[in-house]
Amino acid sequence: MLGDMMNMMGKLKEAQKKVEETKKRLDTVLVDESSSDHKLKVTLTANRTIKSIEIDDELLDDKEQLEDYLILTLNKAIEKATKINETELAATAKEGMPNIPGMDMFK
């Protein structure tokens, strides 16, 4: 019994390490999003850190329009990055979970 518990704890630690490694790797996965007319482009990591924003000069003349572009484009990029992040972390966590009786609902 104690050996089984130690084995499970080891597997849980290993799964936690894999999740942390996946989080680090997601810092290198870039997500690009552009406005429909390509006047604004943003790049985020899959961990939702903004890496760059490119703004067409035409948008600099209208503050309100620029704000609208930023909101729409950033929200789309964040949504994409979140989907990638959640999918990757869920797959890593599922892969590393030990087979614990009664915990089948998490797989």
Side-chain angles (χ1 to χ4, degrees), residues 20 30 34 38 40 50 54 62 64 66 75 77 79 88:
E20 291 304 316
L30 298 179
S34 296
H38 303 285
L40 180 77
I50 297 171
E54 296 175 25
D62 186 342
E64 191 173 304
L66 175 57
N75 281 333
E79 185 178 327
E88 292 289 323

Side-chain angles (χ1 to χ4, degrees), residues 67-101:
E67 290 169 347
D68 290 343
Y69 270 71
L70 283 167
I71 290 168
L72 292 171
T73 308
L74 283 168
N75 281 333
K76 285 194 290 185
I78 290 168
E79 185 178 327
K80 277 185 181 178
T82 298
K83 284 181 184 176
I84 293 168
N85 184 286
E86 290 174 352
T87 300
E88 292 289 323
L89 289 176
T92 300
K94 182 179 177 183
E95 175 186 306
M97 286 296 286
N99 188 13
I100 302 171

Side-chain angles (χ1 to χ4, degrees), residues 1-9:
M1 177 83 173
L2 184 59
D4 289 342
M5 286 294 284
M6 294 299 285
N7 188 29
M8 278 193 255
M9 292 300 288

Side-chain angles (χ1 to χ4, degrees):
M1 177 83 173
L2 184 59
D4 289 342
M5 286 294 284
M6 294 299 285
N7 188 29
M8 278 193 255
M9 292 300 288
K11 287 184 179 183
L12 286 172
K13 277 190 168 193
E14 188 177 315
Q16 183 178 15
K17 182 180 175 189
K18 286 182 180 181
V19 167
E20 291 304 316
E21 288 170 355
T22 299
K23 285 181 182 179
K24 285 181 184 176
R25 184 178 58 77
L26 290 173
D27 277 333
T28 66
V29 175
L30 298 179
V31 177
D32 293 319
E33 184 63 51
S34 296
S35 60
S36 57
D37 58 7
H38 303 285
K39 291 182 182 179
L40 180 77
K41 178 184 174 190
V42 298
T43 302
L44 283 75
T45 68
N47 282 328
R48 297 171 299 269
T49 299
I50 297 171
K51 295 304 251 183
S52 70
I53 298 176
E54 296 175 25
I55 302 170
D56 186 287
D57 289 341
E58 184 180 316
L59 291 176
L60 298 177
D61 296 330
D62 186 342
K63 179 181 181 255
E64 191 173 304
Q65 183 182 22
L66 175 57
E67 290 169 347
D68 290 343
Y69 270 71
L70 283 167
I71 290 168
L72 292 171
T73 308
L74 283 168
N75 281 333
K76 285 194 290 185
I78 290 168
E79 185 178 327
K80 277 185 181 178
T82 298
K83 284 181 184 176
I84 293 168
N85 184 286
E86 290 174 352
T87 300
E88 292 289 323
L89 289 176
T92 300
K94 182 179 177 183
E95 175 186 306
M97 286 296 286
N99 188 13
I100 302 171
M103 298 293 279
D104 293 339
M105 67 181 138
F106 295 111
K107 288 191 172 189

